[in-house]
Amino acid sequence: MEFSSKLLENAVNEVSQLPGIGKRTALRLVLHLLRQPEQQTLELAESLQMLRTQVRYCKNCNNISDRELCEICSSTKRDRTLVCVVEDIRDVMAIENTGQFKGVYHVLGGKISPMDGVGPSDLNIVSLVEKVKLGEIKEIIFALSSTMEGDTTNFYIFKQLEGHSIKTSTIARGIAVGDELEYADEVTLGRSILNRIPFENSLKGS
Amino acid sequence: MEFSSKLLENAVNEVSQLPGIGKRTALRLVLHLLRQPEQQTLELAESLQMLRTQVRYCKNCNNISDRELCEICSSTKRDRTLVCVVEDIRDVMAIENTGQFKGVYHVLGGKISPMDGVGPSDLNIVSLVEKVKLGEIKEIIFALSSTMEGDTTNFYIFKQLEGHSIKTSTIARGIAVGDELEYADEVTLGRSILNRIPFENSLKGS
């Protein structure tokens, strides 16, 4: 793409570095901003600068927070001995939406993924192991996505925790509520049969 | 969506005001920026601020330009009596890519669209009519997209130019080069038959 303006070219190049946004989409977005009041662009830019430079992470769970300790970790109603290990804040938001979890979280900040250059030291794993060593945790629930990377990360952490007497579990995999069996993939259906649960338990949480 | 951080919420809200970007995508983009070096976000924000506050438009064609007169308008090789009317800079870039046009452009900055609150006075139509009145232009080529809004805009400008002895034309609509007739829509195929061209002309421009 050849641009008639260096300013425009710079902006398009920067925007197109965002994941899933190509040069054409970036140009469309930037032209949209030019048609809007100047204020909108300045507010957008400022909100990104503010977030990136002033963002803080909860010192207990590493979730994004404006305070030293996030709302969940500082709540007296939450069980801090029950820890749900998740990838990022989106998973926290999703689980919070269910209203079914009364423990606290531990946000890893990603999954182990050698392909993307993400190793165990890039994630908040050490602080989780520390908490276990201090005897603060009774049960850990792994809630990473069940991909190769998620499974690797679960297993790595599981290995680190060997020798400590805590319970570990993973969230149940199975057929989604309301889904038809005939359209389910074999792996999921297979696991849902192997890991079947007592019928009376299935009446909870609805 | 409930956020654990006001800073994060602000950034997501601002990003989700961009067209075609919902809250979920905005959150994904913002979390991506948080995982990248701080410099990337600051450069992105700065490039948007710079563009929005310092952008200039060519005083002849209204195209985005870093100079008073854009490269095309200041070139001695271009025919300034032949003007192609387009919606925005993307159309200029597309036509320039063909290498087939030796005139100059007139960028309207949009199309007349009452649904979106865009009237004739929001577009650079007056300056085009002025140029015609001054006798600077011999032929105008309408190259807006052939939608309801594009046709309305073409017709509005055409009416404004009545009484002035200039040639007006629109770019040819027809079956794209390489396309199969059987998959063409009826309107396009119909027009391409009505507006057929002498065979010898079809040998040009390839």
Side-chain angles (χ1 to χ4, degrees), chain B residues 145-164:
Chain B
S145 51
S146 70
T147 56
M148 178 84 91
E149 290 83 9
D151 290 346
T152 305
T153 311
N154 286 343
F155 191 69
Y156 179 87
I157 298 175
F158 182 74
K159 277 294 189 189
Q160 299 283 309
L161 299 177
E162 263 182 351
H164 297 279

Side-chain angles (χ1 to χ4, degrees), chain B:
Chain B
M1 264 196 219
E2 275 201 48
F3 290 94
S4 58
S5 155
K6 211 68 201 147
L7 284 172
L8 180 67
E9 186 171 5
N10 273 349
V12 169
N13 283 342
E14 290 292 337
V15 173
S16 66
Q17 282 186 39
L18 292 169
I21 296 190
K23 289 256 166 141
R24 270 165 193 277
T25 307
L27 180 57
R28 188 168 57 81
L29 295 178
V30 166
L31 290 179
H32 170 84
L33 284 175
L34 282 176
R35 279 194 296 267
Q36 301 300 309
E38 191 171 303
Q39 199 52 31
Q40 185 178 334
T41 306
L42 300 185
E43 280 169 7
L44 167 64
E46 204 196 335
S47 70
L48 292 177
Q49 283 167 330
M50 292 266 287
L51 174 68
R52 192 65 189 83
T53 54
Q54 296 178 23
V55 67
R56 291 174 71 180
Y57 296 91
C58 171
K59 70 169 182 176
N60 184 55
C61 71
N62 296 308
N63 195 6
I64 298 169
S65 168
D66 292 338
R67 296 181 299 167
E68 201 180 9
L69 212 56
C70 76
E71 236 171 274
I72 295 169
C73 288
S74 55
S75 164
T76 53
K77 289 181 184 153
R78 311 291 294 230
D79 178 3
R80 290 184 62 170
T81 67
L82 174 62
V83 174
C84 183
V85 175
V86 294
E87 194 185 331
D88 69 21
I89 190 172
R90 284 174 291 183
D91 306 320
V92 174
M93 290 162 77
I95 297 175
E96 282 300 289
N97 268 341
T98 68
Q100 297 288 341
F101 182 62
K102 293 301 167 203
V104 295
Y105 297 91
H106 185 90
V107 179
L108 293 178
K111 289 173 290 195
I112 296 174
S113 172
M115 293 280 283
D116 305 312
V118 181
S121 60
D122 298 312
L123 307 176
N124 301 313
I125 293 179
V126 173
S127 58
L128 177 64
V129 177
E130 283 304 316
K131 278 190 270 185
V132 171
K133 279 185 184 164
L134 289 170
E136 290 175 4
I137 302 177
K138 283 188 192 150
E139 178 174 354
I140 285 182
I141 304 170
F142 291 110
L144 302 186
S145 51
S146 70
T147 56
M148 178 84 91
E149 290 83 9
D151 290 346
T152 305
T153 311
N154 286 343
F155 191 69
Y156 179 87
I157 298 175
F158 182 74
K159 277 294 189 189
Q160 299 283 309
L161 299 177
E162 263 182 351
H164 297 279
S165 62
I166 56 160
K167 260 173 80 175
T168 50
S169 55
T170 73
I171 55 170
R173 308 289 174 186
I175 309 300
V177 177
D179 266 14
E180 307 269 5
L181 284 207
E182 57 180 321
Y183 301 121
D185 68 286
E186 290 160 34
V187 179
T188 304
L189 186 53
R191 282 206 204 176
S192 78
I193 289 171
L194 282 175
N195 302 321
R196 61 196 176 276
I197 58 161
F199 182 72
E200 56 272 26
N201 290 6
S202 71
L203 305 173
K204 295 185 213 162
S206 54

Side-chain angles (χ1 to χ4, degrees), chain A:
Chain A
M1 265 196 219
E2 274 202 47
F3 291 93
S4 58
S5 154
K6 210 75 199 145
L7 285 172
L8 179 67
E9 184 170 6
N10 273 349
V12 169
N13 283 342
E14 289 292 338
V15 173
S16 66
Q17 283 185 41
L18 292 169
I21 296 190
K23 289 255 165 142
R24 270 165 193 277
T25 307
L27 179 57
R28 188 168 57 82
L29 296 177
V30 166
L31 290 180
H32 169 84
L33 285 175
L34 282 177
R35 281 193 295 267
Q36 302 299 309
E38 190 170 306
Q39 200 51 31
Q40 185 178 333
T41 306
L42 299 184
E43 279 169 9
L44 167 64
E46 204 196 336
S47 71
L48 293 177
Q49 283 167 330
M50 292 266 287
L51 174 69
R52 192 63 189 84
T53 54
Q54 296 178 23
V55 67
R56 291 173 70 179
Y57 297 90
C58 170
K59 70 169 183 176
N60 184 55
C61 72
N62 296 309
N63 195 6
I64 297 169
S65 168
D66 291 339
R67 296 181 300 170
E68 201 179 11
L69 213 55
C70 76
E71 237 171 273
I72 296 169
C73 287
S74 55
S75 164
T76 53
K77 288 179 185 156
R78 311 292 293 232
D79 178 2
R80 288 184 63 169
T81 66
L82 174 62
V83 174
C84 182
V85 175
V86 295
E87 194 185 331
D88 69 22
I89 190 172
R90 284 174 291 182
D91 306 320
V92 174
M93 290 163 76
I95 296 174
E96 281 301 288
N97 267 341
T98 69
Q100 298 288 341
F101 181 63
K102 294 300 167 206
V104 295
Y105 297 91
H106 185 90
V107 179
L108 294 177
K111 290 173 290 196
I112 296 174
S113 172
M115 291 280 284
D116 305 313
V118 181
S121 60
D122 298 311
L123 306 176
N124 301 313
I125 293 178
V126 173
S127 57
L128 177 64
V129 177
E130 282 304 314
K131 279 190 271 185
V132 172
K133 279 185 185 162
L134 289 169
E136 291 175 4
I137 303 176
K138 283 187 191 150
E139 178 174 354
I140 284 181
I141 304 171
F142 291 110
L144 302 187
S145 49
S146 71
T147 56
M148 178 84 91
E149 289 83 10
D151 290 346
T152 305
T153 311
N154 286 342
F155 191 68
Y156 179 88
I157 298 174
F158 181 75
K159 277 293 189 189
Q160 298 284 309
L161 298 177
E162 264 182 351
H164 297 280
S165 61
I166 55 160
K167 260 173 78 177
T168 50
S169 56
T170 72
I171 56 171
R173 306 290 174 184
I175 310 300
V177 177
D179 266 11
E180 308 270 4
L181 285 207
E182 57 179 322
Y183 301 120
D185 69 286
E186 290 160 35
V187 179
T188 303
L189 186 53
R191 282 207 204 176
S192 79
I193 290 172
L194 281 176
N195 302 322
R196 62 196 175 276
I197 59 162
F199 181 73
E200 57 271 28
N201 290 5
S202 71
L203 305 173
K204 294 185 213 162
S206 53

